[in-house]
Amino acid sequence: MMFTQQEINEIRKDFEYLQGNPKVIYFDNGATSQKPKKVTDALVEYYQYENGNPHRGAHYFAMKSTEVYEGSRERVAHFIGAKKPAEVVFLRNATEALNLLAYSYGLYHLEYGDEILISILEHHSNLVPWQFVAQKTGAEMVFLRPDEDMQITEEELLQKVTSRTRIFSVTAASNVVGTMPDVKTLIRKVREIAPDVCCIVDASQYVPHHKLDVTDLDCDFLVFSGHKMLSAMGIGVLYGKEERLNAMEPFFYGGDMIEYVYECKSSYLPSPQRFEAGTVNVGGAKSLAVAMDYLEALGMDKILEYESALMNYAYDKMKKLDDVDIYTTSNLKRSPVLSFNIKDVHPHDVASILEHYHIAVRSGHHCAQPLHRSLGMNFSCRASFAFYNTFEEIDAFINHMEDVRRMMGLGLE
Ligand SMILES: Cc1ncc(COP(=O)(O)O)c(C=O)c1O
């Protein structure tokens, strides 16, 4: 059963800014979500009553912060379906996690002639680190290119994967065109041809909206950032199969990741400490655990159903507008991001005019320049939705879209 209007009104009360500024329409959820009070309260609670440096010391504060931190890891492991908390590494964000994989896996395992298979849909965070690996090792970048409706077909996959494919890294949900590839099937098919491949999933735009089960996906690694799914910034997750993580070299070296240290050599702890050198972000980890509690209490299925309804409503309304090009896939299995351009108007002008009506949309290349180029343009606008958005907000947004060309002094064609 979908959220009722009454339920959405109640949910919006958890978000102080939205509640206090009812005219503000926040449609940049793909960049970062707003935070419910439970999450900000949890952060304050941590710093007021629980703050200590975890894993160090026998006093109350050290033990309390260790309990909070490791408890959060257990919560995250449960939320994503990991087999053990040790498969969850806390990092700053998805970008750091992908860089870790590039340095600690890519540089060690790839050589000249090997192939790195990604898609042209990828965010720069799942592209630029692999370019670095390719340049350093002599491996080749190979790109999956979607069809006209932005879908990655099986034929395309079978044409691009070879026995030299060593890394397959793909988004579970595009931040621009909304495509949600069937990642589980893609991974299975890639492994049939390249059994030694390392399969990585960028779930940054997927976890805020969908139930996730990494064990069922059977990926080797998966990454996401907390801030897009209600938590504080500065906390993200690298999931990895335990044997993969423990076979990898560390990325950062220093305190808290070692076992024994001698003058000229050291031995390292297993995952997750191996990859968490230095003082960690306990408050952030706690905020992520509380964000997950909050999402699960609402119900991931209900969130998905409501956000899909919002997305379909916005997509259908926008389709009816003159002089608007939509880039989001028409496939109903899509994440709630609506990318578009208004004819003859620069996206920054569109965003500025909408801002005049207190509507926040993103404009630019959305960290996906190759994707934009492949679509024959440089920039676009993007409205991205969350469960605290409403159908009325979409009506207002669509109405004001009609003003944009007029305000730019352009007539309807
Ligand atoms: C699909 C995707 N991957 C990766 C990222 C990078 O996230 P972060 O900047 O939090 O590391 C983003 C952020 O927009 C994204 O949308």
Side-chain angles (χ1 to χ4, degrees):
M1 263 278 289
M2 200 160 85
F3 291 126
T4 62
Q5 186 59 50
Q6 182 57 29
E7 282 174 310
I8 295 298
N9 292 345
E10 286 303 310
I11 287 171
R12 284 175 71 86
K13 289 185 187 158
D14 295 337
F15 294 80
E16 304 258 312
Y17 194 84
L18 301 180
Q19 188 62 16
N21 299 277
K23 286 202 180 125
V24 171
I25 298 180
Y26 185 73
F27 282 170
D28 199 12
N29 295 286
T32 195
S33 72
Q34 295 301 324
K35 320 300 175 198
K37 194 163 179 307
K38 280 201 170 128
V39 166
T40 52
D41 282 352
L43 264 178
V44 172
E45 181 187 59
Y46 172 71
Y47 283 109
Q48 285 186 342
Y49 303 111
E50 299 166 339
N51 180 49
N53 205 324
H55 309 136
R56 298 165 173 90
H59 57 75
Y60 170 80
F61 298 98
M63 288 190 293
K64 185 70 194 171
S65 62
T66 305
E67 183 190 310
V68 170
Y69 191 61
E70 295 307 329
S72 304
R73 197 191 306 280
E74 277 175 36
R75 180 70 187 90
V76 173
H78 183 257
F79 188 85
I80 66 173
K83 287 186 186 141
K84 293 180 176 181
E87 293 185 324
V88 171
V89 178
F90 283 130
L91 299 168
R92 277 190 304 142
N93 48 40
T95 303
E96 188 172 73
L98 288 160
N99 274 275
L100 187 154
L101 293 174
Y103 276 88
S104 294
Y105 186 90
L107 289 187
Y108 286 91
H109 288 84
L110 272 74
E111 57 186 30
Y112 178 80
D114 286 342
E115 291 164 10
I116 300 170
L117 181 62
I118 68 170
S119 85
I120 203 79
L121 300 173
E122 304 309 316
H123 186 281
H124 295 162
S125 295
N126 194 23
L127 165 61
V128 184
W130 302 123
Q131 292 173 345
F132 165 73
V133 172
Q135 284 154 12
K136 287 282 178 204
T137 61
E140 193 190 333
M141 302 282 297
V142 179
F143 289 89
L144 295 171
R145 297 185 190 273
D147 66 13
E148 287 213 328
D149 198 22
M150 294 291 114
Q151 300 300 311
I152 296 173
T153 62
E154 195 176 322
E155 298 78 68
E156 173 66 5
L157 183 83
L158 295 179
Q159 268 187 24
K160 299 287 168 71
V161 62
T162 76
S163 59
R164 296 303 303 260
T165 307
R166 291 280 177 273
I167 287 182
F168 173 50
S169 191
V170 71
T171 185
S174 158
N175 64 319
V176 181
V177 291
T179 310
M180 289 179 43
D182 180 354
V183 171
K184 184 177 171 180
T185 307
L186 293 185
I187 289 174
R188 190 166 44 76
K189 299 243 171 249
V190 170
R191 284 213 183 104
E192 279 167 15
I193 298 168
D196 296 335
V197 69
C198 171
C199 295
I200 302 165
V201 178
D202 176 1
S204 306
Q205 297 287 343
Y206 187 90
V207 264
H209 312 291
H210 292 265
K211 263 191 191 150
L212 174 68
D213 187 335
V214 288
T215 305
D216 180 56
L217 274 187
D218 199 25
C219 50
D220 294 296
F221 298 103
L222 179 141
V223 306
F224 63 93
S225 295
H227 68 89
K228 294 182 195 294
M229 55 176 305
L230 311 182
S231 92
M233 290 190 173
I235 190 78
V237 169
L238 166 66
Y239 156 82
K241 285 184 176 167
E242 198 180 19
E243 61 277 15
R244 283 281 196 190
L245 286 168
N246 286 332
M248 249 183 354
E249 284 294 312
F251 180 32
F252 290 118
Y253 298 82
D256 225 22
M257 50 77 71
I258 44 75
E259 198 177 25
Y260 295 106
V261 178
Y262 303 95
E263 286 186 12
C264 294
K265 63 173 189 187
S266 301
S267 56
Y268 313 125
L269 289 168
S271 175
Q273 279 78 18
R274 171 180 293 240
F275 302 106
E276 295 182 359
T279 299
V280 291
N281 184 357
V282 185
K286 177 172 177 169
S287 80
L288 180 57
V290 172
M292 289 175 168
D293 288 345
Y294 183 89
L295 288 170
E296 274 189 352
L298 290 184
M300 292 308 289
D301 290 342
K302 272 181 115 172
I303 288 174
L304 176 61
E305 195 184 356
Y306 179 74
E307 289 176 342
S308 302
L310 280 180
M311 175 65 196
N312 297 345
Y313 184 71
Y315 184 93
D316 292 344
K317 283 205 134 192
M318 196 178 270
K319 265 263 169 244
K320 294 195 183 113
L321 296 181
D322 292 319
D323 301 317
V324 175
D325 291 322
I326 300 180
Y327 309 114
T328 299
T329 179
S330 70
N331 192 312
L332 293 182
K333 188 181 166 224
R334 59 192 170 195
S335 66
V337 295
L338 186 49
S339 294
F340 61 93
N341 270 323
I342 299 186
K343 200 161 175 244
D344 301 330
V345 187
H346 193 282
H348 285 314
D349 289 329
V350 177
S352 302
I353 292 171
L354 291 173
E355 169 58 21
H356 172 76
Y357 297 109
H358 313 293
I359 300 171
V361 299
R362 177 81 180 264
S363 55
H365 52 61
H366 320 313
C367 298
Q369 289 185 17
L371 171 59
H372 275 80
R373 247 176 249 123
S374 78
L375 291 168
M377 58 177 175
N378 291 320
F379 310 107
S380 61
C381 291
R382 182 187 70 186
S384 48
F385 311 116
F387 56 86
Y388 43 72
N389 291 129
T390 65
F391 292 91
E392 290 71 37
E393 288 180 328
I394 288 171
D395 287 340
F397 162 60
I398 296 289
N399 288 342
H400 290 306
M401 286 274 294
E402 285 171 340
D403 296 341
V404 172
R405 277 179 61 89
R406 188 181 46 74
M407 284 180 78
M408 294 297 294
L410 300 164
L412 288 180
E413 286 191 348

